[in-house]
Amino acid sequence: MFKEFSKDFWWGAASSGPQHEGGATEGGREPSIWDKYYEMAPNRFFNEIGPSECGDFYHRFKEDLSLLKELGLSTYRTSIQWSRLLPYGATEPNPDALRFYNEVIDTMLDLGITPFMNLHHFDMPWSFQEKGGWENRDTIKHYRYFAEQCFKHFGDRVPYWFSFNEPIVVPYIAYIGDYLYPNAMDMHRAMNVAYHTAIAHAEMMDAFRESGVKAKAGIILNIAPSYPRSEHPEDLKAARLADLFHNESFKDPSLKGVYSEELIKFMQDNKMPLPILKGDDKIIAKGKVDVLGVNYYAPQRTKAKENIPNPKAPIRPETFFDIYDMPGKKMNPYRGWEIYPQGIYDCLTDIKDNYGNIETFISENGMGVENEERFRNEKGYIEDDYRIGFITDHLNQVHKAIDEGCNCKGYHLWTFVDNWSWQNAYKNRYGYVELQLNNNKKRVIKKSGYWIKEVTKNNGYEI
Ligand code: BG6
């Protein structure tokens, strides 16, 4: 049976400035929170490979984009690094950054690749992080200014803009989990950061509308559908809370233009009031997006707490519910994430049924696998059949969702060329194209790359 997609389906891939650009110290770029965190704690990064060891898109973007074209992909998302465009709080854009991003955008357009540009991918410039980052409300106006500069200089050629990639991640990894500076272990600070980020998103949308740029703007959310262990009321409550913190904290402001009253009340009741100022509701109302990017990797499974938490330990989402380790779940052992293709369908159906069926697309989905060299064949390329299987299983669910009326316009794999994965550095590889780190960063198409070339040519695949 042939699974056919629409003629104008966005077959694409996603990456980000901090993970693939490189040129970290070139062209006047300022260090971001990741560069500084690597200086502070290199041992936390796999094989001590830091953010400057990227795929060098900064110098090799023409090669990457030509390869993208060769595989028939027609859309590509990356990000403009704030730390490159306006280093050290500059008010005038850095000329080298203008040159670089202009060249990237123009090259894409020349090749017939539609640019999707994101403005923030966990990468706060260090000079703003030192002043409190997203905990400091002042950062929002600087971020808005950065967005305005992006629209002014590149708005005439970029049809899709995004305020943030996965804005709930920084609160989780830096303020609840121990994975990024300032390693706060403080849920109150985390949710303050999330709240300020939601305001920043709305400011970006407002700046976008004021700029008059003829394009669409939105946000990219890592939606993890929340499944309870059972129908027991306490399990249901656990799943509800996980959904509230992880998903609705950003779905409500960006899809409904409101901040969840339930979340506000929960934080208030638990003595962690959000830093709400008078008039914020009017700002948040401006945050309704034109387009939503859905990053889907894995669901969250939750259950009622088994034990009463230590009352003196830091408060975390898991103070209120437990993670449920469902027997028999299929796992990606390298990344430790569950593989559950139906989750992508559930995400899209939820957007259709509960959020006005807004225009959406799968902005990230993918499978990180360690030590892929073991699958290299005699022709010299990696046979990543597991990735082809993973993508097919998820695309089948996307296809079903579209058949049932979901307004989903495309599928972007994470990622195109293997890129630097934060603390995991190059442990797990995600791309259609291998990055040979020890071979002058040579790009070698994997079997999945040849496979997607056929898929893009035929607008579908046989199952
Ligand atoms: C997404 C992010 O959460 O997942 C990417 O937007 C990230 O930046 C990707 O690289 C895969 O996760 P990881 O941690 O394996 O790199």
Side-chain angles (χ1 to χ4, degrees), residues 19 121-122 165-166 295 297 335 337 364 414 421-422 424 430:
Q19 291 177 272
H121 201 118
F122 319 154
N165 175 77
E166 304 190 349
N295 290 358
Y297 289 91
R335 188 59 182 83
W337 285 345
E364 281 183 34
W414 184 268
S421 265
W422 317 110
N424 278 324
Y430 283 88

Side-chain angles (χ1 to χ4, degrees), residues 113-129:
I113 297 166
T114 307
F116 285 44
M117 277 297 178
N118 173 36
L119 300 186
H120 199 86
H121 201 118
F122 319 154
D123 56 336
M124 179 65 75
W126 184 248
S127 53
F128 289 121
Q129 187 60 48

Side-chain angles (χ1 to χ4, degrees), residues 393-458:
D393 290 347
H394 286 80
L395 275 174
N396 288 344
Q397 295 290 331
V398 171
H399 194 273
K400 178 172 167 216
I402 295 171
D403 264 359
E404 292 174 14
C406 291
N407 193 9
C408 175
K409 296 291 177 58
Y411 178 89
H412 284 190
L413 184 78
W414 184 268
T415 184
F416 184 59
V417 177
D418 292 338
N419 63 15
W420 182 80
S421 265
W422 317 110
Q423 290 90 347
N424 278 324
Y426 288 99
K427 175 178 168 288
N428 304 317
R429 305 301 190 97
Y430 283 88
Y432 284 128
V433 177
E434 177 194 6
L435 181 78
Q436 297 192 337
L437 267 188
N438 299 325
N439 187 16
N440 194 27
K441 298 190 174 154
K442 188 171 173 204
R443 279 78 164 142
V444 181
I445 300 173
K446 300 180 196 174
K447 187 171 174 186
S448 59
Y450 293 111
W451 174 81
I452 197 69
K453 187 173 179 177
E454 284 304 300
V455 173
T456 56
K457 196 163 84 196
N458 302 320

